[in-house]
Amino acid sequence: RRFGKDIDYLLLEEGDLYTIYSRFTGEKAISLGCPKEKIIRHPVGLELSDFYFQKREVNPNLLIKIITVGRLVEKKGIEYSIRAFAKVLDRYNNLEYQIVGDGILRAEIESFIAVLGVSIKVFLLGVKTHVVLLYLYADAHIFILSSVTSADGDKEGQGLVLQEAQAMGLPVLSTLHNGIPDGVLDGESGFLVPERDVDALAQKLNYLIEHPELWSEMGKAGRTFVEEHFNIDKLNDTRCDN
C-alpha cells in the first residue's frame, strides 16, 4: 500500500524463494505473478511442550466455559462471536464467555455487551501472561475465533491461537477466512462457518454444547493434527509441501 501495486512485481522478480503460511496466501502470491515453483508453504509452528493436552470431561452440571484469545480489533470478529453466544444463551444458562486480549475496540465491545444484556456472562479479561493463558485454556471447554475481513481489507493470518487451542485439547469454532481452513480439521477438530454468519456460528456452538461427548474426541483429533503439522521442531527440520 505504501509503495503502490508495482512493488509486488519488483519484489517477485528479485526473490529466489518465497515462504507462505497457508494455501490461501500462496494463491494470492501466484495471482500477483509469483512463480509457483518458488513457493514453499511453511506455517508458523508451536513449541508443543508449552501446550499440554487435557481431556475435556463431560459433566451435566458443568458451567460450560467458552474462550476467545485475540486482540480487540475488527478482523477478529469479536462482535459476531458475542452475538452468537447471546443467541445460544437464550437456551442454556450454564454458559460463560471469556475473551482474552485488548485493543482499540475495547470500549465499543464493552458497550455492545451491555446493550445485548450479557454483561454477567461475557468477560473481557485483557492481556494475560502465558502461564495464566494456559490455565484459561485448560479451564475452558470450547474455543471460538470468528475472524472476518475488516473494512480496510485487513485479514487474519494463520490464526495461531487456533493451533494453541487444539494443542490443549479444545474443540474449536472459527470461520472460512484466509489461512484458517489450513489450520483446523473442519468436522473433526472443530467447525468452520462463513464470515459474519451469526446464525451459523450459533448453530455450531449450540451443537457443541448439546454434544459434550464429542469434546474429547475432537480434542484428540486437534492435538494429533497440531503435532503432525504445526510442531515447530518438525517444521524447522522439514521442507513443507507447496
Side-chain angles (χ1 to χ4, degrees):
R1 292 176 185 172
R2 182 178 174 188
F3 293 99
K5 293 182 68 175
D6 289 343
I7 192 67
D8 294 324
Y9 300 101
L10 293 172
L11 291 171
L12 293 173
E13 287 179 0
E14 291 293 325
D16 298 310
L17 183 70
Y18 300 91
T19 59
I20 58 170
Y21 52 77
S22 71
R23 291 181 176 86
F24 179 89
T25 309
E27 291 169 1
K28 295 292 284 185
I30 290 169
S31 72
L32 291 171
C34 184
K36 185 176 180 180
E37 62 273 14
K38 288 186 175 184
I39 295 175
I40 297 294
R41 185 167 63 89
H42 195 283
V44 180
L46 294 181
E47 189 71 58
L48 283 175
S49 60
D50 290 343
F51 298 91
Y52 56 91
F53 175 81
Q54 179 169 315
K55 182 179 178 181
R56 308 295 147 167
E57 299 292 341
V58 178
N59 184 336
N61 299 315
L62 199 65
L63 175 64
I64 299 174
K65 294 183 179 181
I66 299 155
I67 187 171
T68 289
V69 178
R71 290 180 296 125
L72 304 185
V73 295
E74 184 184 355
K75 70 179 178 181
K76 299 296 180 180
I78 304 292
E79 170 192 343
Y80 304 98
S81 56
I82 294 173
R83 286 185 184 276
F85 176 82
K87 277 179 171 284
V88 174
L89 194 60
D90 288 339
R91 299 185 62 183
Y92 305 97
N93 194 45
N94 62 326
L95 305 178
E96 181 178 289
Y97 184 18
Q98 299 177 330
I99 301 170
V100 181
D102 213 337
I104 58 173
L105 295 183
R106 183 182 181 99
E108 183 178 318
I109 291 172
E110 286 176 335
S111 298
F112 180 66
I113 291 169
V115 169
L116 284 180
V118 294
S119 298
I120 62 171
K121 291 289 186 176
V122 181
F123 303 96
L124 300 181
L125 303 184
V127 177
K128 298 299 179 184
T129 65
H130 179 71
V131 172
V132 174
L133 180 58
L134 288 179
Y135 169 78
L136 293 170
Y137 275 140
D139 195 45
H141 304 96
I142 299 168
F143 183 90
I144 184 168
L145 181 70
S146 49
S147 302
V148 301
T149 303
S150 66
D152 65 357
D154 193 15
K155 298 177 185 289
E156 187 74 77
Q158 178 179 309
L160 188 63
V161 289
L162 288 162
Q163 284 80 61
E164 293 180 356
Q166 289 173 97
M168 295 286 293
L170 282 164
V172 299
L173 175 56
S174 192
T175 52
L176 295 162
H177 171 86
N178 203 354
I180 287 176
D182 279 357
V184 176
L185 291 174
D186 190 14
E188 296 181 47
S189 66
F191 295 109
L192 301 177
V193 302
E195 292 183 33
R196 293 184 169 84
D197 193 333
V198 173
D199 289 337
L201 278 169
Q203 182 183 33
K204 292 301 184 184
L205 181 57
N206 185 77
Y207 182 83
L208 286 171
I209 292 167
E210 286 188 343
H211 296 87
E213 71 279 2
L214 296 178
W215 297 349
S216 177
E217 179 183 338
M218 297 182 89
K220 289 178 183 177
R223 175 70 189 198
T224 300
F225 176 61
V226 172
E227 287 176 346
E228 291 177 353
H229 299 283
F230 296 94
N231 181 337
I232 188 65
D233 294 323
K234 186 180 290 187
L235 287 168
N236 285 346
D237 294 337
T238 307
R239 173 176 166 144
C240 298
D241 294 334
N242 284 19

